[in-house]
Amino acid sequence: MDLITLLPFIVLIGAMFLMTRSAKKKQAAAAQMRNDMQPGTGVRTIGGMYATVKEVHDDTVLLEVAPGVHAIYAKNAIGAVLDDAEYNRIVHGDDEELDTDGTVVPDDASSLTGESDTDKAEVAKIDLGKDESADDAGTEDAAAKDVKDAKGEGKADGETGTK
């Protein structure tokens, strides 16, 4: 046989060897992680549930999923062992970055307008009431228009409301 005809088979076998080797490394790392679990550490199961390890046995783990609520899981069901800071951040909402930052977020949009407090006070002083002289003239015009509309005057053919 020719070396050129064997080359694709050799490359294929080499690729399969490398893929199985990396998969075996990942499996060994996961098994080591599960064997290193200690009572009191936080874990995430493969189903996405967060719990605290209470007891570790050969093939099973006793987890406390809520205060006073215990469940027995297979060791293979543990997806990740979390460090204390990450577990507290996820489960209890403890975020150290927010505590040290010190920024205060306002509960309204006042910081988005860019106006100072004195500008806001001046805006509040503006009288938005109607001018009485314009109001009286507008009332007379509206009354005259209503009379014309009732009689059908002032409207051409094709306009809405014509008879």
Side-chain angles (χ1 to χ4, degrees):
M1 278 201 151
D2 209 341
L3 182 63
I4 295 175
T5 57
L6 290 177
L7 189 62
F9 293 113
I10 294 172
V11 170
L12 187 63
I13 291 172
M16 288 175 32
F17 173 74
L18 290 176
M19 288 180 2
T20 58
R21 184 175 173 210
S22 66
K24 284 183 181 179
K25 282 185 179 180
K26 287 180 183 178
Q27 286 177 350
Q32 183 66 30
M33 171 202 59
R34 290 180 186 117
N35 289 333
D36 290 343
M37 279 188 299
Q38 298 295 323
T41 59
V43 295
R44 182 183 64 232
T45 66
I46 58 174
M49 181 179 66
Y50 293 91
T52 304
V53 176
K54 287 297 177 183
E55 296 177 7
V56 179
H57 302 287
D58 291 336
D59 294 331
T60 60
V61 178
L62 180 67
L63 299 178
E64 184 177 30
V65 295
V69 179
H70 297 89
I72 297 175
Y73 277 79
K75 270 191 179 180
N76 292 339
I78 304 301
V81 176
L82 308 172
D83 60 347
D84 290 338
E86 183 179 6
Y87 180 77
N88 288 333
R89 181 183 60 83
I90 294 169
V91 175
H92 302 296
D94 298 342
D95 197 2
E96 297 167 0
E97 294 175 8
L98 291 178
D99 295 340
T100 60
D101 188 18
T103 57
V104 176
V105 178
D107 59 351
D108 60 355
S110 63
S111 64
L112 301 175
T113 60
E115 297 176 351
S116 65
D117 289 336
T118 56
D119 293 339
K120 291 177 190 176
E122 290 176 15
V123 171
K125 292 178 184 177
I126 295 174
D127 185 20
L128 298 177
K130 293 184 179 181
D131 187 21
E132 291 182 18
S133 61
D135 190 32
D136 292 339
T139 307
E140 291 174 8
D141 292 338
K145 186 177 179 183
D146 289 340
V147 170
K148 286 182 181 179
D149 287 345
K151 294 180 180 177
E153 299 175 2
K155 294 192 179 188
D157 289 335
E159 288 185 3
T160 57
T162 58
K163 295 183 181 179

